[in-house]
Amino acid sequence: MRFGHRIQGKVNAYDDKGRGVFELTGEDGEKTGRGVAAIPFTAVGDEITAIFMSRDRGVKLCKLETVVAPSADRTSTPCPHAGVCGGCLWQHLKYDAQLAAKLEMINRAFGQAEIGRAS
């Protein structure tokens, strides 16, 4: 995959930094093993088009181009600069969806801490 390559997919989770992620698939929808794409300012359930920007530890970092089909959790943003300045990663989500996503991230972090704890 090269810089500027356009990808499409449906966001199915959030990573540890709050970005929407999905596994890259081929033309036929089969998983290709090409990795995972992480796209800020997306919601779980969004069908999106994004542009590949860089790699970070095996994850393809992308810039959101368009939301083809929005998630039920998506809402309009109160700030006209949302998604541009980068200071408001969660404004595009309804408040209940923000809380659920943050709670899941916390639970995942504590679950990983338990596994790594020395006995």
Side-chain angles (χ1 to χ4, degrees):
M1 185 175 297
R2 295 183 178 202
F3 180 81
H5 184 88
R6 186 171 280 116
I7 60 170
Q8 294 181 333
K10 185 172 184 176
V11 176
N12 56 17
Y14 296 109
D15 68 3
D16 293 339
K17 296 181 180 179
R19 302 173 296 201
V21 295
F22 63 88
E23 191 165 342
L24 297 171
T25 58
E27 297 290 326
D28 55 0
E30 292 294 317
K31 293 180 181 176
T32 61
R34 289 176 34 200
V36 174
I39 306 98
F41 310 113
T42 57
V44 171
D46 279 350
E47 291 183 33
I48 58 108
T49 302
I51 298 176
F52 172 69
M53 302 300 284
S54 66
R55 287 182 179 82
D56 181 27
R57 300 178 193 174
V59 176
K60 277 88 174 163
L61 303 178
C62 302
K63 178 181 170 186
L64 180 63
E65 185 178 49
T66 58
V67 177
V68 177
S71 165
D73 292 337
R74 187 171 276 281
T75 187
S76 60
T77 58
C79 176
H81 305 290
V84 178
C85 73
C88 48
L89 188 60
W90 301 95
Q91 276 195 7
H92 63 282
L93 293 175
K94 294 179 181 173
Y95 187 65
D96 291 341
Q98 289 180 31
L99 293 179
K102 291 174 185 179
L103 181 61
E104 187 223 334
M105 290 172 64
I106 290 168
N107 287 336
R108 196 169 48 215
F110 278 114
Q112 290 174 354
E114 289 296 322
I115 293 169
R117 182 179 288 175
S119 26

Coordinates of all heavy atoms in Angstrom, one line a residue, residues 11 14 42-46 69-76 90-98 100-101:
V11 N -16.0 0.3 10.0 CA -15.3 0.3 11.3 C -16.0 -0.6 12.2 O -17.3 -0.6 12.4 CB -15.4 1.8 11.8 CG1 -14.8 1.9 13.2 CG2 -14.7 2.7 10.9
Y14 N -12.7 0.2 18.2 CA -11.8 1.3 18.5 C -10.4 0.8 19.0 O -10.4 -0.2 19.7 CB -12.3 2.3 19.5 CG -13.6 3.0 19.2 CD1 -14.8 2.6 19.8 CD2 -13.6 3.9 18.2 CE1 -16.0 3.2 19.4 CE2 -14.8 4.6 17.8 CZ -16.0 4.2 18.4 OH -17.1 4.8 18.0
T42 N -14.0 8.5 13.4 CA -15.0 7.5 12.9 C -15.7 6.9 14.1 O -15.3 6.9 15.2 CB -14.3 6.4 12.1 OG1 -13.3 5.8 12.8 CG2 -13.7 7.0 10.8
A43 N -16.8 6.2 13.8 CA -17.6 5.5 14.8 C -17.8 4.1 14.4 O -17.8 3.8 13.2 CB -19.0 6.2 14.9
V44 N -17.9 3.2 15.4 CA -18.2 1.8 15.1 C -19.5 1.7 14.3 O -20.5 2.3 14.7 CB -18.3 1.0 16.4 CG1 -18.8 -0.4 16.1 CG2 -16.9 0.9 17.1
G45 N -19.4 1.0 13.2 CA -20.6 0.9 12.3 C -20.5 1.8 11.1 O -21.3 1.6 10.2
D46 N -19.7 2.8 11.1 CA -19.5 3.7 9.9 C -18.9 2.9 8.8 O -18.0 2.1 8.9 CB -18.5 4.8 10.2 CG -19.1 6.0 11.0 OD1 -20.3 6.0 11.2 OD2 -18.3 6.9 11.4
A69 N -21.8 5.5 4.8 CA -23.1 5.2 5.5 C -22.8 5.4 7.0 O -22.0 4.7 7.6 CB -23.5 3.7 5.3
P70 N -23.4 6.4 7.6 CA -23.0 6.7 9.0 C -23.6 5.7 10.0 O -24.6 5.1 9.8 CB -23.7 8.1 9.2 CG -24.8 8.2 8.2 CD -24.3 7.3 7.1
S71 N -22.9 5.6 11.1 CA -23.4 4.7 12.2 C -24.5 5.4 13.0 O -24.7 6.6 12.9 CB -22.2 4.5 13.2 OG -22.6 4.0 14.4
A72 N -25.3 4.6 13.7 CA -26.4 5.1 14.5 C -25.8 5.9 15.6 O -26.6 6.8 16.2 CB -27.3 4.0 15.0
D73 N -24.6 5.7 16.0 CA -23.9 6.5 17.1 C -23.4 7.8 16.7 O -23.0 8.6 17.5 CB -22.8 5.7 17.7 CG -23.2 4.4 18.4 OD1 -24.4 4.3 18.8 OD2 -22.4 3.5 18.5
R74 N -23.4 8.1 15.4 CA -22.9 9.4 14.9 C -23.9 10.5 15.1 O -25.1 10.3 15.0 CB -22.5 9.2 13.4 CG -21.8 10.4 12.8 CD -21.3 10.1 11.5 NE -20.0 9.4 11.5 CZ -18.9 10.0 11.6 NH1 -18.8 11.3 11.8 NH2 -17.7 9.4 11.6
T75 N -23.3 11.7 15.4 CA -24.2 12.9 15.6 C -23.4 14.1 15.0 O -22.3 14.0 14.6 CB -24.5 13.2 17.1 OG1 -25.4 14.2 17.2 CG2 -23.2 13.5 17.9
S76 N -24.1 15.2 14.8 CA -23.5 16.4 14.3 C -22.6 17.0 15.4 O -22.9 16.9 16.6 CB -24.5 17.4 13.8 OG -25.3 17.8 14.9
W90 N -13.9 12.8 20.1 CA -15.1 12.1 20.3 C -16.4 13.0 20.0 O -17.5 12.5 20.2 CB -15.2 11.7 21.8 CG -14.1 10.8 22.2 CD1 -12.9 11.1 22.8 CD2 -14.0 9.4 22.0 NE1 -12.1 10.0 23.0 CE2 -12.8 8.9 22.5 CE3 -14.9 8.5 21.4 CZ2 -12.4 7.6 22.5 CZ3 -14.5 7.1 21.4 CH2 -13.3 6.7 21.9
Q91 N -16.3 14.2 19.5 CA -17.4 15.1 19.3 C -18.4 14.5 18.3 O -19.6 14.9 18.4 CB -17.0 16.5 18.9 CG -16.6 17.3 20.0 CD -16.5 18.8 19.6 OE1 -16.9 19.2 18.5 NE2 -16.1 19.6 20.5
H92 N -18.0 13.7 17.4 CA -18.9 13.2 16.4 C -19.8 12.0 16.9 O -20.6 11.5 16.2 CB -18.1 12.7 15.2 CG -17.2 11.6 15.5 ND1 -16.0 11.7 16.1 CD2 -17.3 10.2 15.3 CE1 -15.4 10.6 16.3 NE2 -16.2 9.6 15.8
L93 N -19.6 11.6 18.2 CA -20.3 10.5 18.8 C -21.4 11.0 19.7 O -21.1 12.0 20.4 CB -19.4 9.5 19.5 CG -18.4 8.7 18.7 CD1 -17.5 7.9 19.7 CD2 -19.1 7.8 17.8
K94 N -22.5 10.3 19.8 CA -23.5 10.6 20.8 C -22.9 10.4 22.2 O -22.0 9.5 22.3 CB -24.7 9.8 20.6 CG -25.5 10.1 19.3 CD -26.7 9.2 19.2 CE -27.4 9.5 17.9 NZ -28.5 8.6 17.6
Y95 N -23.3 11.1 23.2 CA -22.7 11.0 24.5 C -22.7 9.6 25.0 O -21.7 9.1 25.6 CB -23.4 11.9 25.5 CG -22.7 12.0 26.8 CD1 -21.4 12.5 26.9 CD2 -23.3 11.5 28.0 CE1 -20.7 12.6 28.1 CE2 -22.6 11.6 29.2 CZ -21.4 12.1 29.2 OH -20.7 12.2 30.4
D96 N -23.8 8.8 24.9 CA -23.9 7.4 25.4 C -22.8 6.6 24.7 O -22.2 5.7 25.3 CB -25.3 6.8 25.2 CG -26.3 7.5 26.1 OD1 -25.9 8.1 27.1 OD2 -27.5 7.4 25.8
A97 N -22.6 6.8 23.4 CA -21.6 6.0 22.7 C -20.2 6.4 23.1 O -19.4 5.5 23.2 CB -21.8 6.3 21.2
Q98 N -20.0 7.6 23.4 CA -18.7 8.1 24.0 C -18.4 7.3 25.3 O -17.3 6.8 25.4 CB -18.7 9.6 24.3 CG -18.7 10.4 23.1 CD -18.6 11.9 23.5 OE1 -18.1 12.3 24.5 NE2 -19.2 12.8 22.7
A100 N -19.7 4.5 26.4 CA -19.5 3.0 26.2 C -18.1 2.8 25.6 O -17.4 1.8 26.0 CB -20.6 2.5 25.2
A101 N -17.6 3.6 24.6 CA -16.3 3.4 24.0 C -15.2 3.6 25.1 O -14.3 2.8 25.1 CB -16.2 4.3 22.8

